[in-house]
Amino acid sequence: MAKYRAIPQGFMTVGEAAKKMGVTVRTLQYYDKEGLLSPSAESEGGRRLYTDKDLVTLHQIISLKSLGFSLDDIKRRLISLETPADVANALTDQADNIRKKIEQLRASLSAIEQLKTEVLQMQTVNFKKYADIIVNLQMKNDFYSLIKRFDDDTLDNIRSQFDKESSFDFMNRFNRISNEIVQLQNDNVPPESEKAQQAVKEYWGLIMEFTNGDMSMLPKLMEAGNIDTATNAWEERQKIVNDYVAPALQVYFSRLGANPFEEVKP
């Protein structure tokens, strides 16, 4: 670090630098201590001196910190500013991080607005159910619209079976077979056809997986899945699936010689 008898032109004291960037002197001293930003020079009297280049580095630090990065993360992300390309790369990196943060904030805002809508529709205070809806909104899981229809016993049963990873896996498989069933409907494939029966067999298998084979859950599941008026795209698709699956399951169960819905009392 260069030392100067007096403060030369182009340099500023820690107080001046702090004031210019809207931070405290203590913050700059802390960044110096942590090895994030050391002043470029020092006067013979021991005053730390900063340059405009230091302020650009400080801007990197402040921007990354505002995006939620820890100081250790920031140390690894700081880019040297020796050439115009270095400065451009630093600004590009910051811009990319800001865009990601904006996307995260938009997703959070959307989840908050959706949760508010669900809370008002439910007309009850149930924080356990709120938490389930929040998790599913974060996962971008359209099943959240179904969760509000379940009672607490059903939800407890689901929570005991699925974690985040297995929920993703189940959701992907359920969406895939549902899309296949919608396509069968669009193609006017008869419910009794082998193609339809293979699809409905897989669909029924997912229902059994979802209930963990607990047949007493079927009436609740039927009630929750009964959609009179769809309020979103997922429910629109599910209405189509329900209309196609109902007669297809009748054929499936008749061939099996047993109907679990008739064996379980509502």
Side-chain angles (χ1 to χ4, degrees), residues 170-183:
F170 183 89
M171 177 183 66
N172 288 334
R173 287 184 287 134
F174 186 86
N175 284 333
R176 179 185 57 75
I177 192 62
S178 295
N179 288 335
E180 286 183 17
I181 290 172
V182 169
Q183 190 59 51

Side-chain angles (χ1 to χ4, degrees), residues 94-112:
Q94 284 176 239
D96 289 342
N97 289 324
I98 290 172
R99 289 189 189 96
K100 290 177 183 177
K101 190 67 173 180
I102 290 173
E103 290 175 4
Q104 292 170 358
L105 290 172
R106 282 176 177 162
S108 296
L109 178 60
S110 175
I112 289 171

Side-chain angles (χ1 to χ4, degrees), residues 12-29 31 37 47-48 50-52 54-55 58 62:
M12 63 196 84
T13 65
V14 63
E16 292 170 335
K19 184 177 180 180
K20 197 167 186 178
M21 293 299 293
V23 297
T24 65
V25 170
R26 180 171 294 182
T27 295
L28 289 180
Q29 291 171 339
Y31 289 165
L37 176 63
R47 303 183 74 180
R48 299 186 178 287
Y50 292 81
T51 65
D52 288 332
D54 295 329
L55 297 190
L58 178 58
I62 294 172

Side-chain angles (χ1 to χ4, degrees), residues 56-226:
V56 175
T57 300
L58 178 58
H59 182 268
Q60 282 191 75
I61 296 170
I62 294 172
S63 296
L64 292 171
K65 191 170 184 295
S66 70
L67 293 171
F69 291 104
S70 68
L71 295 185
D72 286 338
D73 287 334
I74 293 173
K75 281 182 185 179
R76 292 192 293 269
R77 288 176 175 271
L78 285 178
I79 300 173
S80 64
L81 304 172
E82 301 302 324
T83 68
D86 290 337
V87 177
N89 288 337
L91 295 175
T92 298
D93 191 49
Q94 284 176 239
D96 289 342
N97 289 324
I98 290 172
R99 289 189 189 96
K100 290 177 183 177
K101 190 67 173 180
I102 290 173
E103 290 175 4
Q104 292 170 358
L105 290 172
R106 282 176 177 162
S108 296
L109 178 60
S110 175
I112 289 171
E113 293 292 349
Q114 286 177 280
L115 179 61
K116 181 180 73 173
T117 300
E118 299 299 339
V119 169
L120 292 175
Q121 288 180 355
M122 287 166 58
Q123 288 296 306
T124 58
V125 177
N126 187 330
F127 289 103
K128 203 170 186 179
K129 188 171 287 189
Y130 295 165
D132 285 328
I133 293 174
I134 289 171
V135 169
N136 281 272
L137 286 173
Q138 290 174 333
M139 293 166 60
K140 301 187 186 306
N141 183 357
D142 290 331
F143 286 175
Y144 83 87
S145 62
L146 190 60
I147 289 173
K148 65 183 179 182
R149 301 168 181 264
F150 290 147
D151 60 20
D152 290 338
D153 289 339
T154 304
L155 287 175
D156 284 339
N157 188 296
I158 295 169
R159 293 184 193 107
S160 67
Q161 292 185 70
F162 296 98
D163 56 19
K164 192 170 184 178
E165 183 177 350
S166 59
S167 294
F168 264 123
D169 176 64
F170 183 89
M171 177 183 66
N172 288 334
R173 287 184 287 134
F174 186 86
N175 284 333
R176 179 185 57 75
I177 192 62
S178 295
N179 288 335
E180 286 183 17
I181 290 172
V182 169
Q183 190 59 51
L184 291 172
Q185 168 82 345
N186 292 339
D187 294 341
N188 294 316
V189 177
E192 65 275 11
S193 70
E194 288 306 313
K195 193 172 184 180
Q197 287 300 298
Q198 186 60 39
V200 81
K201 178 182 179 181
E202 184 176 351
Y203 189 86
W204 178 248
L206 288 174
I207 292 176
M208 289 295 93
E209 181 180 341
F210 188 76
T211 61
N212 198 26
D214 183 356
M215 306 304 284
S216 66
M217 287 183 63
L218 288 180
K220 294 180 180 179
L221 197 60
M222 289 174 63
E223 182 181 355
N226 185 26

